[in-house]
């Protein structure tokens, strides 16, 4: 049986780090599955497989098709699928509709969405409707155009305070884990120590509870 979001949540402060890798296809999932706690069907597929400049062109149909492919062979790892840009930001109701579609059509174990404090209501709604959510803070690829590029987070006191509140908001909303991307090492470490859910680092601190 595959590992569950509750299994991942319970790995907070575990002796062994959580192992997460991205998988976009059935062959990739077959190779990686046995070695991972988490497999992420990430919207980075836009750049990795489709030659896009960023993640913004990935659609629901694309992510669902690849999510299905991964789910056909994954037997061990918990499988989480990214919610694409435009599929959840405008309202909690839209997020719920699209998260339900992803879960229903792929059979995955949970969804991931970007954002902190502004996503608290949305995450709470999804979790309240039995949709496990992994959050994503720090550098957020879906915000690359708005922010004028890929920029490291946590460089000043204001950013640090915002990131800490983002993490607390996500925790309150019921997310089972949070990805911290592109964030100054000591800040990611501080976030990890401030919340009771696992942190998964990507270009962040080795002190996170796991790594992508």
């Amino acid at each position: 049986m595959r590992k569950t979001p509750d299994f991942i949540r319970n790995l907070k402060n575990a002796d062994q780090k959580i192992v997460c890798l991205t998988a976009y296809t059935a062959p990739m999932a077959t190779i990686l599955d046995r070695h991972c706690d988490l497999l992420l069907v990430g919207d980075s597929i836009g750049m990795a497989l489709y030659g896009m400049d960023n993640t913004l062109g990935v659609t629901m149909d694309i992510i669902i098709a690849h999510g299905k492919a991964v789910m056909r062979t994954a037997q061990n790892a918990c499988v989480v699928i990214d919610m694409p840009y435009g599929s959840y930001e405008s309202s909690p109701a839209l997020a719920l509709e699209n998260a339900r579609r992803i879960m229903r059509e792929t059979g995955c174990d949970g969804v991931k969405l970007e954002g902190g404090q502004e996503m608290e209501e949305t995450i709470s709604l999804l979790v309240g409707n039995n949709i496990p959510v992994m959050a994503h803070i720090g550098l957020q690829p879906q915000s690359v155009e708005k922010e004028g590029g890929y920029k490291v987070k946590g460089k000043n006191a204001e950013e640090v305070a915002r990131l800490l509140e983002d993490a607390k908001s996500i925790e309150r909303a019921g997310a089972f884990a949070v990805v911290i991307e592109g964030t100054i090492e000591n800040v990611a470490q501080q976030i990890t120590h401030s919340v009771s859910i696992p942190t998964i680092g990507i270009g962040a601190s080795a002190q996170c509870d796991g790594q992508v």
Side-chain angles (χ1 to χ4, degrees):
M1 293 183 64
R2 289 198 318 277
K3 294 170 181 174
T4 65
D6 281 343
F7 177 88
I8 301 301
R9 185 196 300 270
N10 290 332
L11 293 178
K12 178 69 178 180
N13 297 323
D15 292 335
Q16 186 169 332
K17 297 293 186 182
I18 298 167
V19 176
C20 177
L21 289 171
T22 51
Y24 309 125
T25 66
M28 290 175 72
T30 299
I31 293 167
L32 301 178
D33 180 52
R34 72 191 71 179
H35 305 292
C36 296
D37 300 303
L38 277 166
L39 283 177
L40 175 63
V41 184
D43 59 2
S44 53
I45 193 172
M47 296 172 288
L49 293 189
Y50 288 89
M52 298 177 184
D53 292 331
N54 51 49
T55 65
L56 304 185
V58 176
T59 64
M60 285 284 290
D61 287 343
I62 288 173
I63 208 74
I64 286 171
H66 287 274
K68 287 179 178 178
V70 169
M71 287 298 296
R72 289 187 185 108
T73 58
Q75 298 180 6
N76 168 66
C78 178
V79 178
V80 175
I81 297 179
D82 266 343
M83 296 194 71
Y85 175 75
S87 70
Y88 63 92
E89 301 95 320
S90 62
S91 73
L94 177 67
L96 179 59
E97 177 184 350
N98 285 321
R100 280 173 167 164
R101 182 185 168 197
I102 291 171
M103 296 286 290
R104 181 178 65 250
E105 295 188 22
T106 68
C108 69
D109 301 300
V111 298
K112 180 170 78 65
L113 53 78
E114 297 181 10
Q117 299 166 60
E118 73 278 13
M119 286 292 116
E120 183 173 353
E121 181 182 355
T122 295
I123 294 171
S124 180
L125 179 64
L126 268 57
V127 172
N129 281 273
N130 299 313
I131 298 173
V133 176
M134 175 183 285
H136 183 143
I137 62 174
L139 190 160
Q140 297 171 37
Q142 292 179 7
S143 299
V144 63
E145 289 190 350
K146 180 176 66 176
E147 298 198 351
Y150 298 94
K151 298 182 179 180
V152 173
K153 301 298 180 181
K155 290 184 173 181
N156 56 56
E158 182 181 357
E159 285 188 358
V160 172
R162 185 183 307 117
L163 286 165
L164 286 167
E165 186 52 42
D166 283 342
K168 289 291 187 181
S169 296
I170 287 161
E171 180 184 33
R172 284 194 299 269
F176 71 88
V178 56
V179 168
I180 306 174
E181 182 172 358
T183 297
I184 298 292
E185 183 175 5
N186 67 329
V187 178
Q189 183 175 354
Q190 188 177 350
I191 295 168
T192 297
H193 293 159
S194 73
V195 294
S196 62
I197 58 175
T199 59
I200 313 294
I202 177 169
S205 173
Q207 297 302 311
C208 289
D209 297 293
Q211 296 293 325
V212 178

